[in-house]
Amino acid sequence: MNRSDNEVAVITGGSAGLGLAVATSLIDKGWSVVTDARNADRLRAALPDSPRVTTLSGNVGDLDHQDAIAAAVARHGRLDLLVHNASELGPMLPLAEVPESLFSSVLETNLLAPLTLTQRLLPYLIASRGTLVGISSDAAVEHYPTWGTYAASKAALDHMVLTLGEENGIRAYAVDPGDMRTAMHQAAFPGEDISDRPLPESVVPHLLALLSGEQPSGRYRATELASVGDVLSLSKGATR
């Protein structure tokens, strides 16, 4: 097993939205990226495989799929960044009306899958003094009617990510990107015009500023973070 000279990131849900925007930006900055999505065709169209890009189709909660992600990381011999971006919106219903099966399904994708994947990749993160990121939501700290299922999963994800960071001596961030013009956001507001929401690409400079800076582990809102210019190079020396 050889240790890559490039920094390596795993980003779940990389075929569209914020996951794709972050993956593309890191690749442009010289990182190697391992990413996944359920739709194989859409993923490979968005990010064709190359020496620095590994795309894996599958369900992030599937243990065999997690084995494939771990194997890709092992081939690089390092992991500097793990971003839990893949997410399920779930039923937009009052909590009193949410079937247990649907609530469990959202928790499996938004909480249990990030936990088990982190457990598999944690030795690489610790060895590289890497960073763990959970993509959160303002719903994790606010109380919006019909958002309770998604919100509960994100609140739990925040707590889990930050606890893993504290327990293992690595930087950990729960990041609320704010409203974005994505398919998930459109699904939450069916029939509404969401063209006034910012594109996911607008969030990336704020996220990169967090990763390249010296902010302590914690929960952050992207819009409250400084931005980073295109000239920023996320080198090993700059991120630690």
Side-chain angles (χ1 to χ4, degrees), residues 1-10 26-27 29-34 50-54 71-81 124 127-128 234-236:
M1 179 176 65
N2 297 319
R3 182 174 172 83
S4 173
D5 292 330
N6 297 321
E7 289 185 297
V8 177
V10 168
L26 291 179
I27 293 164
K29 295 179 185 300
W31 285 55
S32 294
V33 169
V34 178
S50 74
R52 288 195 290 108
V53 179
T54 302
V73 172
R75 288 193 291 273
H76 286 289
R78 66 185 292 173
L79 180 61
D80 302 274
L81 174 65
Y124 292 99
S128 295
L234 286 179
S235 66
K236 188 69 175 178

Side-chain angles (χ1 to χ4, degrees), residues 66 82 84 112-125 132 160 164:
Q66 291 187 6
L82 172 55
H84 293 300
L112 297 181
L115 174 60
T116 54
L117 182 59
T118 303
Q119 289 171 335
R120 288 168 183 252
L121 301 180
L122 195 55
Y124 292 99
L125 271 181
L132 177 64
M160 184 193 75
L164 282 164

Side-chain angles (χ1 to χ4, degrees), residues 134-139 141 174-179 203 219-223:
I135 300 302
S136 186
S137 166
D138 63 335
V141 294
V175 179
D176 169 12
D179 291 348
V203 175
R219 190 180 193 280
Y220 294 88
R221 295 180 64 184
T223 55

Side-chain angles (χ1 to χ4, degrees), residues 86-188:
S87 195
E88 181 178 342
L89 179 61
M92 299 298 288
L93 294 169
L95 279 174
E97 301 175 13
V98 176
E100 180 182 350
S101 60
L102 294 182
F103 195 91
S104 296
S105 175
V106 173
L107 288 181
E108 287 174 3
T109 299
N110 297 359
L111 179 65
L112 297 181
L115 174 60
T116 54
L117 182 59
T118 303
Q119 289 171 335
R120 288 168 183 252
L121 301 180
L122 195 55
Y124 292 99
L125 271 181
I126 293 173
S128 295
R129 299 174 59 224
T131 301
L132 177 64
V133 176
I135 300 302
S136 186
S137 166
D138 63 335
V141 294
E142 302 292 344
H143 305 99
Y144 302 126
T146 74
W147 283 81
T149 301
Y150 179 78
S153 72
K154 288 299 183 178
L157 177 67
D158 289 0
H159 193 90
M160 184 193 75
V161 164
L162 298 181
T163 300
L164 282 164
E166 185 69 21
E167 290 175 340
N168 294 284
I170 58 175
R171 289 200 304 172
Y173 299 121
V175 179
D176 169 12
D179 291 348
M180 297 180 293
R181 201 184 316 166
T182 63
M184 177 178 286
H185 196 76
Q186 184 67 77

